[in-house]
Amino acid sequence: MPTRKQRRREAKSKRHDYEIVYVDEEGNEVEPAPEELEAAKTERPERRNGAKPAATGKRQASRSGRTPPPPTWRRSIRRAGLLGIVVFFLFALGARGKSGGYASAAGLAVLYTALFVPFTYAIDRFAYRRWAARQNGAGPAKKAEPKKR
């Protein structure tokens, strides 16, 4: 969908369209032949208003983005471990100077890490399945509904 700026630019180019005028040797305006009118309309170059020409095949390939790797528990645990470290330091900063501050921060970090592992795996699995469905040309994968008898 074109942006507002693009729509305004296109409308402006249509408003300021020019007419082709033919002048004979004496300086009088002459009506052009119908074939010349049609040829003039088709020969006019496409207006781009400074935009680069769009690549047809290349654009579709770049639209797909990068290929998501298949989901693995090992990658999910690694990500959760990194999150756990960050969460521990953030909670430890908040609990500084309180009794049992580091212990409670460590407990909460372990809890957040444990909850983050399956969540990350589910997100990776969803992204991979969506990518695979698009590669196969099908829409989103739908579960089969049970038949009613």
Side-chain angles (χ1 to χ4, degrees):
M1 175 177 274
T3 63
R4 183 182 300 164
K5 184 176 181 180
Q6 290 169 337
R7 286 192 302 255
R8 283 182 19 219
R9 187 177 288 161
E10 181 67 23
K12 183 178 177 182
S13 70
K14 288 181 180 177
R15 276 196 308 266
H16 298 290
D17 205 9
Y18 58 89
E19 292 182 18
I20 299 174
V21 179
Y22 290 95
V23 182
D24 63 0
E25 297 83 27
E26 299 171 3
N28 300 324
E29 289 185 18
V30 180
E31 290 292 323
E35 302 86 32
E36 293 174 355
L37 283 176
E38 292 299 321
K41 286 183 181 178
T42 58
E43 288 176 7
R44 189 167 54 187
E46 181 182 337
R47 295 181 188 168
R48 295 183 303 168
N49 293 327
K52 294 181 180 178
T56 54
K58 186 178 177 184
R59 186 175 193 185
Q60 185 67 280
S62 67
R63 178 84 174 132
S64 64
R66 69 177 188 90
T67 304
T72 62
W73 285 105
R74 177 176 286 164
R75 188 179 318 113
S76 298
I77 291 170
R78 198 177 329 134
R79 284 184 191 157
L82 290 173
L83 175 83
I85 292 169
V86 170
V87 166
F88 171 73
F89 282 116
L90 289 177
F91 286 161
L93 283 175
R96 205 176 346 167
K98 298 178 184 172
S99 63
Y102 290 120
S104 66
L108 286 173
V110 168
L111 176 69
Y112 275 78
T113 302
L115 292 175
F116 194 70
V117 171
F119 178 73
T120 305
Y121 183 80
I123 294 291
D124 286 348
R125 186 178 63 187
F126 174 76
Y128 184 75
R129 285 182 177 176
R130 290 286 298 163
W131 175 81
R134 279 195 206 117
Q135 295 300 70
N136 293 336
K142 296 182 181 179
K143 293 183 180 179
E145 295 182 18
K147 294 181 182 178
K148 294 182 182 178
R149 294 183 186 186

